[in-house]
Amino acid sequence: MSHAELDQTAKSILIENDQGGYTIPTKGLYPYQWNWDSVFVALGFATFDQDRAWREVEMLFEGQWRDGMVPHILFRKDDPSYFPGPSVWGTDGGPIPSSGHSQPPVAATVIRDLVNADPSGKALERAAALLPNLMNWHSWFLTYRDPKGLGVLAVIHPWESGRDNLPDWDEALRAVEVKDIGPYERKDTSHVDPAMRPHKEDYDRYLSIMAACRAVDWDPAEVARTCPFFVADPGVTFIFLRANRDLLSLAEQLGKTEEAEEIRGWISRMEAGARTLWHEELKAHVAVDQRSGKMADGVSSAAFLAPYAGLTGDETLGALQAHFDRIAGKVRYLMPSYDPDHQSYEPLRYWRGPVWAMINYMIARGFAEAGDLARAEKLRADTGGLIAASGFAEYFSPETGAGAGGGTFSWTAAIWLAWASPSHTQQAA
């Protein structure tokens, strides 16, 4: 298809996956509203319908819990094609049935983008209405995912990271005792080739973590204290640090001096804490199991989000550029979700190697802001090339470019419209 035809197809995907103000990632495999999916989708809608972009984000925050958490799934209707559904989660934290943990908090960044894209200033009013929600959510992360004030955010479940099947979780998962789960039937493998999905033994542990959290009624303090899985994640940490910088900008634009001062404290805490994720031998930020203290031994795509978070010191940026060039020599398309030189790399299995469009977008944005326009453009061109060759798949092989996972995927379409499409590039120029 031509670029114009791809633009139209991407718009059609968003419109067809629209459920009346919120968007599902793709039909069948993911029939509900997912947290960071919706926020990236808003970027796509913003290219042709600003009001609809705002509605996507506003509907996400309708499901915010009383304690401030914004869940990773909102179960707005009963759909038996998905497992685990609301009855398995057993939560009661907010006004909409939901999962029991969150996802990477990209919302503040996208809301700032929507504000900056609106010359009329009306968008700032909608941002003002959401500022208390954002403050409460960010405060929740610091309270319950960094309870010791270390300046890094942990995840209580691989799903909370948004990068569910990453090799970095393997060892911490093996320490999770499989219990209290009973018989179950997965639905994901009926939609997608099982060779592209997590193994059953991983899924058993996913459900065991949920059972442990359910046993303490999803009380966030008890979950942080007792959950068998509690791993500091550079991905969520870096996305959160970036989101705080953008939240600070919004607070300043709105004249919220008290909130702005609080956010500055959050930023200082996170900047200091990020150093503890630096693996001196690997020369990259990695996950750290906070139960065992052990650091991961591989370079994931999240390591490349450090510049996106504003961490662009010479050592960090230089090391990432060297890793970037090394990996570019190993694969046809960047950025694989895990280092192709690592023994756990799998080019088509969920998060163990495939390329994801929205991760490329964030990495490229960080490189561009750090002044490395060449590597940023390489990522944009690779992302556009993957979509042009294989359509709007959930993710792609870094080796062949083949699309994998779900098809007609909303956030892939959104990233095409907002960033990867040559049409967007021409308009920006």
Side-chain angles (χ1 to χ4, degrees):
M1 289 190 283
S2 68
H3 295 146
E5 289 171 325
L6 285 167
D7 290 348
Q8 188 55 51
T9 300
K11 291 179 183 179
S12 296
I13 287 171
L14 296 186
I15 292 167
E16 289 168 10
N17 286 340
D18 183 354
Q19 302 296 296
Y22 74 93
T23 307
I24 59 172
T26 189
K27 292 177 181 176
L29 183 59
Y30 300 116
Y32 296 112
Q33 184 177 18
W34 259 257
N35 185 322
W36 70 331
D37 290 73
S38 267
V39 178
F40 284 117
V41 160
L43 286 176
F45 274 120
T47 65
F48 63 96
D49 188 339
Q50 285 278 335
D51 180 70
R52 181 60 185 78
W54 277 104
R55 189 67 186 128
E56 187 77 33
V57 179
E58 290 161 350
M59 286 196 73
L60 174 64
F61 279 93
E62 288 177 2
Q64 186 166 26
W65 279 24
R66 293 179 291 275
D67 62 15
M69 192 263 281
V70 182
H72 102 289
I73 309 173
L74 297 181
F75 299 112
R76 291 182 173 275
K77 58 185 178 182
D78 184 28
D79 193 321
S81 71
Y82 182 80
F83 177 88
S87 62
V88 180
W89 285 92
T91 66
D92 185 28
I96 299 171
S98 72
S99 59
H101 56 64
S102 200
Q103 260 193 329
V106 292
T109 298
V110 170
I111 288 171
R112 184 189 178 193
D113 289 342
L114 294 177
V115 167
N116 290 344
D118 178 20
S120 73
K122 292 180 181 179
L124 196 58
E125 298 175 11
R126 297 179 89 155
L130 288 171
L131 185 69
N133 304 76
L134 290 166
M135 293 293 296
N136 289 338
W137 189 22
H138 284 216
S139 179
W140 175 90
F141 266 110
L142 289 162
T143 302
Y144 300 117
R145 294 299 182 261
D146 183 22
K148 296 181 180 179
L150 302 177
V152 293
L153 297 186
V155 293
I156 65 158
H157 196 293
W159 293 343
E160 189 166 53
S161 74
R163 299 173 298 130
D164 305 5
N165 197 33
L166 197 72
D168 288 355
W169 318 137
D170 290 355
E171 188 161 337
L173 268 181
R174 281 193 289 270
V176 175
E177 182 182 358
V178 176
K179 62 178 183 178
D180 301 328
I181 60 174
Y184 66 92
E185 181 183 352
R186 290 173 63 175
K187 301 297 180 71
D188 58 323
T189 50
S190 67
H191 297 289
V192 175
D193 183 348
M196 299 177 186
R197 301 296 293 177
H199 295 290
K200 183 184 184 301
E201 55 266 30
D202 296 320
Y203 228 85
D204 287 347
R205 289 178 169 86
Y206 296 161
L207 296 176
S208 296
I209 295 169
M210 290 169 59
C213 296
R214 201 168 53 239
V216 296
D217 295 322
W218 294 99
D219 177 271
E222 279 301 293
V223 166
R225 189 177 69 84
T226 64
C227 183
F229 187 97
F230 203 73
V231 182
D233 175 26
V236 172
T237 296
F238 291 155
I239 289 169
F240 182 68
L241 176 51
R242 170 57 182 255
N244 278 321
R245 298 190 197 281
D246 292 316
L247 186 59
L248 175 59
S249 175
L250 290 170
E252 289 173 339
Q253 288 183 69
L254 291 165
K256 301 292 186 178
T257 55
E258 186 175 326
E259 288 86 345
E261 189 59 30
E262 184 175 14
I263 297 164
R264 289 187 191 99
W266 296 347
I267 291 171
S268 296
R269 171 173 162 180
M270 302 305 295
E271 286 178 335
R275 300 188 190 104
T276 66
L277 302 181
W278 182 258
H279 194 299
E280 188 57 40
E281 292 181 16
L282 285 179
K283 299 296 181 186
H285 296 88
V286 303
V288 179
D289 184 346
Q290 293 196 341
R291 299 298 187 229
S292 70
K294 186 166 183 179
M295 302 187 88
D297 65 355
V299 179
S300 78
S301 55
F304 294 92
L305 292 174
Y308 175 80
L311 304 178
T312 55
D314 290 344
E315 181 181 27
T316 299
L317 189 59
L320 289 178
Q321 289 167 331
H323 282 305
F324 186 106
D325 295 345
R326 173 181 60 81
I327 292 171
K330 301 283 184 178
V331 297
R332 183 177 176 186
Y333 297 98
L334 292 170
M335 177 59 71
S337 43
Y338 217 67
D339 191 336
D341 284 330
H342 194 277
Q343 61 183 3
S344 297
Y345 164 78
E346 296 180 75
L348 276 178
R349 193 179 294 277
Y350 203 55
W351 287 108
R352 302 181 78 84
V355 178
W356 297 73
M358 83 294 183
I359 297 290
N360 274 6
Y361 165 72
M362 290 188 289
I363 295 172
R365 188 166 180 174
F367 272 120
E369 290 167 353
D372 191 341
L373 301 182
R375 289 182 178 84
E377 174 56 24
K378 165 66 173 167
L379 286 163
R380 193 201 65 78
D382 278 11
T383 307
L386 286 165
I387 293 170
S390 299
F392 296 94
E394 183 177 4
Y395 51 85
F396 305 86
S397 166
E399 297 178 0
T400 67
T408 59
F409 218 82
S410 293
W411 67 12
T412 308
I415 293 300
W416 170 268
L417 290 170
W419 173 63
S421 169
S423 302
H424 171 77
T425 305
Q426 290 160 10
Q427 290 167 8

